Amino acid sequence: MNIMKFILTISLSAFMSYLGKDYIINNSDAINLLVSLYSILSGFLVTIITIIGDPSEILSTKNWREAFYMIKKPSTQLIKACCLFYCYFITLILLFISMILPEYGSSIFKLLFEYAYIFFASLALIWSFGLPLMLVQYQTLKLESALQKKRNENNLQ
């Protein structure tokens, strides 16, 4: 199922880059919007990575085995968040490169960079829809862990 979602996401991003190129290229408002959007999302994502990577709950565990199992879920979330951050960052880098390439001469390279940044912008946008769910899952995990800790303190199972 995950492979199918990945292939569908890549295909949709490629399709969006093909269709969206005419609307974004040479449209300074659209380019400024992309730069602003992905700059803000990058900062927001760094905050999320910091929150998810907070080791305070893991440090309060009773033994190493409990800590080992508590690390598993946030680690996968951190990897997903880091991949999304890199997608944002690659979008901004490709956008910057396409803006500084001259219009004349190497037009094929400029065209490739334009398609590439629209592709990564589309990919990042699609992946960003999963951020709220990831935060809810992380909060749920923390709440369940806190509840289990209270149960253990009160000798309840």
Side-chain angles (χ1 to χ4, degrees):
M1 183 65 179
N2 284 337
I3 293 173
M4 287 301 294
K5 268 198 315 194
F6 181 74
I7 291 170
L8 182 64
T9 302
I10 296 295
S11 302
L12 186 59
S13 297
F15 183 68
M16 288 171 67
S17 69
Y18 176 74
L19 287 182
K21 183 187 174 301
D22 294 333
Y23 297 104
I24 295 175
I25 306 307
N26 298 324
N27 184 345
S28 61
D29 290 338
I31 292 172
N32 287 335
L33 179 67
L34 283 176
V35 169
S36 298
L37 176 69
Y38 288 110
S39 297
I40 291 168
L41 284 174
S42 295
F44 177 68
L45 199 55
V46 167
T47 304
I48 291 173
I49 290 170
T50 304
I51 290 169
I52 292 173
D54 180 29
S56 61
E57 189 172 325
I58 294 168
L59 294 174
S60 67
T61 58
K62 295 176 187 171
N63 58 39
W64 69 271
R65 286 181 197 225
E66 187 178 344
F68 177 78
Y69 289 111
M70 288 181 75
I71 289 173
K72 288 286 187 190
K73 185 69 174 177
S75 293
T76 58
Q77 291 173 335
L78 282 172
I79 290 169
K80 289 177 184 178
C82 285
C83 289
L84 184 56
F85 175 78
Y86 286 129
C87 200
Y88 293 159
F89 199 60
I90 289 169
T91 300
L92 291 171
I93 289 170
L94 291 170
L95 223 163
F96 175 72
I97 291 171
S98 73
M99 288 175 70
I100 63 171
L101 283 175
E103 288 290 329
Y104 57 90
S106 61
S107 62
I108 188 72
F109 290 115
K110 186 166 180 70
L111 184 68
L112 288 174
F113 277 103
E114 290 168 347
Y115 276 119
Y117 82 70
I118 297 170
F119 171 80
F120 276 99
S122 302
L123 186 66
L125 182 66
I126 293 168
W127 279 348
S128 294
F129 283 107
L131 272 178
L133 180 62
M134 185 175 71
L135 287 173
V136 167
Q137 287 173 342
Y138 177 72
Q139 249 350 79
T140 302
L141 182 71
K142 283 184 74 168
L143 290 171
E144 287 172 356
S145 176
L147 180 63
Q148 186 62 39
K149 189 175 180 181
K150 285 290 186 189
R151 284 181 178 160
N152 291 342
E153 287 174 2
N154 294 326
N155 295 323
L156 300 171
Q157 294 300 330

